[in-house]
Amino acid sequence: DAGVIQSPRHEVTEMGQEVTLRCKPISGHDYLFWYRQTMMRGLELLIYFNNNVPIDDSGMPEDRFSAKMPNASFSTLKIQPSEPRDSAVYFCASSLAPWTRSYEQYFGPGTRLTVT
Amino acid sequence: GQSLEQPSEVTAVEGAIVQINCTYQTSGFYGLSWYQQHDGGAPTFLSYNALDGLEETGRFSSFLSRSDSYGYLLLQELQMKDSASYFCAGLISGGYNKLIFGAGTRLAVHP
């Protein structure tokens, strides 16, 4: 398996523009997670899906952020409009059920977003 | 609230042993994971403790004590390539199943 795939790897955009980040999880994984990492706030869970259904979006910063998972092999995280404080590395991760003996989340390479 | 505390930085020399501690304060705690992240890279899984005790995987071991709300990662025979950030993460259950990450410990291994 190719692992979790994210695109783009780097995104530079101007304030006010719409940004869409994409993720393809590992085939067969039931759970998909979106994280944001910054120096100030560390690694934060934004939202996660189970079987394509959003379960917990309490980490989504505000209404400018939205996430979808239209099928088991694709998810998007959208920011509209973007702001400079959204600059961060956004990771997508996928996993099997958390109660498996060796629970592991597999992270994608991340998208480094810069909003100017 | 949910929180995990770990030291911000640790320094050690090649060949040495280092222990990175993690204390947690969470509700619905299910288990403790450890992840490694090199600069510019993605977090990668090291270990997961669902039960109290020591889990050993090669040069790395992880320990959990639920009664003390405490765990640690033990790295033996340190190598330069072990220089990275190490995150403990609590698996929270009870309706939600998600990882809450600590702030990370930056390990610097010197010759």
Side-chain angles (χ1 to χ4, degrees), chain A residues 35 37 43 45 48 55-56 91 98-99 101 103-105 107-108, chain B residues 30 35 37 41-43 45 48 55 87 91 96-99 101:
Chain A
Y35 290 91
Q37 187 174 38
L43 197 58
L45 177 66
Y48 80 92
I55 302 299
D56 181 4
F91 288 104
W99 48 86
R101 185 178 182 277
Y103 178 61
E104 174 178 355
Q105 288 189 9
F107 282 75
Chain B
Y30 199 81
Y35 284 78
Q37 185 179 28
F45 174 81
Y48 173 61
E55 294 270 350
F87 296 87
L91 178 61
Y96 297 125
N97 294 297
K98 59 184 182 182
L99 285 178
F101 281 82

Side-chain angles (χ1 to χ4, degrees), chain A residues 1-9 19-27 29-35 46-49 52 66-78 90-95 105-111:
Chain A
D1 200 317
V4 176
I5 298 172
Q6 291 186 247
S7 65
R9 295 292 308 276
V19 175
T20 299
L21 311 182
R22 297 172 175 79
C23 175
K24 176 178 167 53
I26 292 173
S27 176
H29 281 188
D30 303 309
Y31 288 78
L32 183 139
F33 307 83
W34 282 100
Y35 290 91
L46 300 177
I47 185 172
Y48 80 92
F49 296 82
N52 313 338
S66 63
K68 295 181 180 179
M69 192 165 185
N71 57 63
S73 58
F74 184 65
S75 177
T76 59
L77 179 67
K78 186 175 294 187
Y90 290 82
F91 288 104
C92 175
S94 70
S95 78
Q105 288 189 9
Y106 295 78
F107 282 75
T111 295

Side-chain angles (χ1 to χ4, degrees), chain B:
Chain B
Q2 319 272 27
S3 66
L4 292 96
E5 300 290 327
Q6 53 182 129
S8 59
E9 292 184 18
V10 173
T11 303
V13 297
E14 267 188 302
I17 299 172
V18 70
Q19 179 173 312
I20 300 174
N21 298 320
C22 175
T23 57
Y24 59 88
Q25 189 171 12
T26 65
S27 55
F29 178 84
Y30 199 81
L32 190 69
S33 294
W34 288 91
Y35 284 78
Q36 178 191 61
Q37 185 179 28
H38 287 98
D39 287 347
T44 57
F45 174 81
L46 291 177
S47 68
Y48 173 61
N49 292 68
L51 304 173
D52 282 4
L54 191 67
E55 294 270 350
E56 298 180 72
T57 308
R59 294 187 299 113
F60 294 179
S61 304
S62 57
F63 173 82
L64 175 64
S65 169
R66 291 173 175 272
S67 60
D68 296 321
S69 298
Y70 164 75
Y72 65 73
L73 179 69
L74 190 72
L75 299 86
Q76 301 182 75
E77 300 172 19
L78 281 173
Q79 302 175 8
M80 297 294 289
K81 67 178 181 179
D82 297 329
S83 293
S85 291
Y86 293 84
F87 296 87
C88 60
L91 178 61
I92 311 302
S93 65
Y96 297 125
N97 294 297
K98 59 184 182 182
L99 285 178
I100 306 296
F101 281 82
T105 298
R106 191 169 185 85
L107 171 63
V109 180
H110 297 288

